Amino acid sequence: MTTTATLILRIGVFRNFFRPRAGGAAGKPGLDLVVAMLVLFKPIRLVLLCAALWAFATALVRPFAGLPVLVYVERDANWAAPLALLCVRGLATQLAGLGAIGSCQLVLLKDWSK
């Protein structure tokens, strides 16, 4: 994948996690700000995995809280962008494969520090 596409994915993940939050968290640096900055400037695989799982879980919980299922569907990009960037960063080539999702493989942990 080109560096332009990678940069677009990094900016997309950054925008997902770097935005003012409602209530008391607005304006205060938190874990989402740390994730946003790390993904933009140094996308570490473990951070990308955590970002994808975090966004997936928060989107999935919304229908269980009584909101329509479409609220989950409209948040697909929030977890798909970190997952796509994780695939681009070499998830399939760095680790042993379990199963394929498109051209990316979901795999066991090996070297997440890069």
Side-chain angles (χ1 to χ4, degrees):
M1 185 171 277
T2 67
T3 56
T4 303
T6 303
L7 181 60
I8 291 169
L9 283 171
R10 287 168 69 176
I11 291 170
V13 175
F14 172 80
R15 281 292 300 133
N16 178 44
F17 286 93
F18 183 76
R19 58 181 165 213
R21 304 294 180 188
K28 295 181 182 177
L31 187 57
D32 50 353
L33 177 60
V34 172
V35 169
M37 298 308 261
L38 278 173
V39 169
L40 186 61
F41 295 110
K42 185 168 176 52
I44 300 168
R45 289 186 194 110
L46 183 58
V47 173
L48 292 170
L49 177 66
C50 290
L53 292 175
W54 178 7
F56 179 76
T58 57
L60 187 62
V61 80
R62 293 174 188 275
F64 292 110
L67 295 171
V69 174
L70 289 177
V71 172
Y72 164 76
V73 173
E74 74 181 14
R75 286 174 170 74
D76 282 349
N78 292 355
W79 58 266
L83 185 61
L85 187 55
L86 185 61
C87 292
V88 169
R89 296 273 304 149
L91 180 67
T93 58
Q94 293 292 321
L95 308 170
L98 288 177
I101 293 181
S103 63
C104 178
Q105 296 179 349
L106 294 179
V107 293
L108 294 172
L109 296 172
K110 182 179 176 187
D111 182 13
W112 290 94
S113 61
K114 293 184 181 177

